[in-house]
Amino acid sequence: GVVDDQPTSASARALTPARLCFLPKADFRRVVEQSDRIGRIVNGNLLRFLVGRLRGKDKEVDLIILEDR
């Protein structure tokens, strides 16, 4: 992956015709490092995504704990 150099765990499929752009990992990292504005946007979006995933997992754990009682 772009963030942690581990194999990607997701895929995507367009539902309608789409034009895609490929940006190699090294180029992506260079853009993020060289542009403060782009870096803040990317990091902010990543943080919001990760926080959302973490909150979802917290809810799953709460349900498992409640079921065991």
Side-chain angles (χ1 to χ4, degrees):
V2 174
V3 176
D4 63 1
D5 293 320
Q6 298 297 312
T8 186
S9 61
S11 61
R13 183 174 173 190
L15 297 176
T16 61
R19 266 182 115 169
L20 304 177
C21 175
F22 174 75
L23 185 62
K25 182 185 345 184
D27 294 339
F28 173 80
R29 287 181 173 176
R30 187 176 66 253
V31 168
V32 169
E33 289 172 5
Q34 290 179 351
S35 171
D36 289 340
R37 181 174 180 268
I38 293 173
R40 283 192 306 271
I41 291 168
V42 168
N43 288 328
N45 287 336
L46 180 59
L47 183 59
R48 278 187 288 282
F49 172 77
L50 292 173
V51 166
R53 294 278 305 260
L54 184 58
R55 285 189 177 137
K57 292 297 177 187
D58 282 347
K59 289 178 183 176
E60 288 178 28
V61 169
D62 288 345
L63 289 175
I64 290 169
I65 290 171
L66 290 174
E67 288 176 359
D68 286 345
R69 290 184 177 176

